[in-house]
Amino acid sequence: FGGMAQDTPIDTSKYGADMIIDPIEYAPTMLNCEELELNKLRACNAEEISKIIRSNVLLPNGFDTIDIKVKVYVSFTVDTNAQVSEIEIVRGAEYYFSEAHQKFAKELNTEAKRVVGLFKFTKPAQMHGKDIRQLMTVPISFSNPEKTDSTKGE
């Protein structure tokens, strides 16, 4: 998932910025992932996010009539109080649909934002011993299981 820490500082001077961004020391911690070392924490966070997405995504009415797989990328911030905020669509469902089906795009984008709002973190990211805000991005996939699962009904 996006927003994971990098191993080396990022020199942004070539982009016109006079700063160096250090990688975070500790990623935000999701519920059920407390007290894990960094490598295990990242894996646990990814699994918890996947569980929340799988168990909460609702498909819009009529979506079962089309055979399509859609991936919506959603960015969000985990603030210094470990709250999810600033939820935004980075790449939405509109890229997958013809003009006739744009209503599905709007509904899937709204649903993706709703599901990200369900994420629960217990600790914010940290750098140099201080709580910091962390921007993250996750993909949320939508598909019609009736149309895309070839093992359905076996």
Side-chain angles (χ1 to χ4, degrees):
F1 294 96
M4 296 301 177
Q6 297 181 2
D7 294 332
T8 57
I10 301 166
D11 181 356
T12 60
S13 60
K14 63 183 171 188
Y15 303 108
D18 255 351
M19 65 180 157
I20 294 180
I21 301 170
D22 288 326
I24 61 171
E25 292 170 350
Y26 294 99
T29 304
M30 291 210 75
L31 189 64
N32 302 323
C33 297
E34 296 90 349
E35 308 305 324
L36 295 175
E37 58 188 60
L38 190 56
N39 289 342
K40 291 181 180 179
L41 173 63
R42 289 180 183 152
C44 182
N45 280 346
E47 181 58 32
E48 290 299 313
I49 286 172
S50 292
K51 284 180 192 175
I52 292 168
I53 292 170
R54 282 191 310 267
S55 62
N56 289 285
V57 164
L58 301 173
L59 297 175
N61 288 332
F63 191 72
D64 58 346
T65 62
I66 55 177
D67 184 9
I68 191 169
K69 291 183 180 180
V70 177
K71 192 175 285 190
V72 176
Y73 291 86
V74 185
S75 72
F76 61 97
T77 299
V78 179
D79 67 22
T80 56
N81 295 314
Q83 300 297 308
V84 173
S85 63
E86 301 174 24
I87 302 170
E88 296 182 21
I89 301 297
V90 176
R91 182 178 170 127
E94 58 275 1
Y95 296 100
Y96 295 90
F97 293 100
S98 66
E99 192 68 34
H101 291 102
Q102 282 298 307
K103 70 172 188 153
F104 289 127
K106 289 180 183 179
E107 291 177 35
L108 294 176
N109 289 345
T110 299
E111 179 62 6
K113 289 173 73 172
R114 183 191 71 81
V115 170
V116 167
L118 300 174
F119 295 173
K120 300 294 181 219
F121 291 87
T122 58
K123 294 180 188 173
Q126 289 189 338
M127 186 166 12
H128 306 299
K130 292 185 178 183
D131 294 344
I132 61 167
R133 296 164 37 94
Q134 175 70 44
L135 178 66
M136 300 177 75
T137 301
V138 296
I140 298 181
S141 297
F142 298 90
S143 63
N144 178 353
E146 296 291 325
K147 300 279 187 185
T148 57
D149 185 358
S150 61
T151 62
K152 192 78 174 171
E154 291 182 6

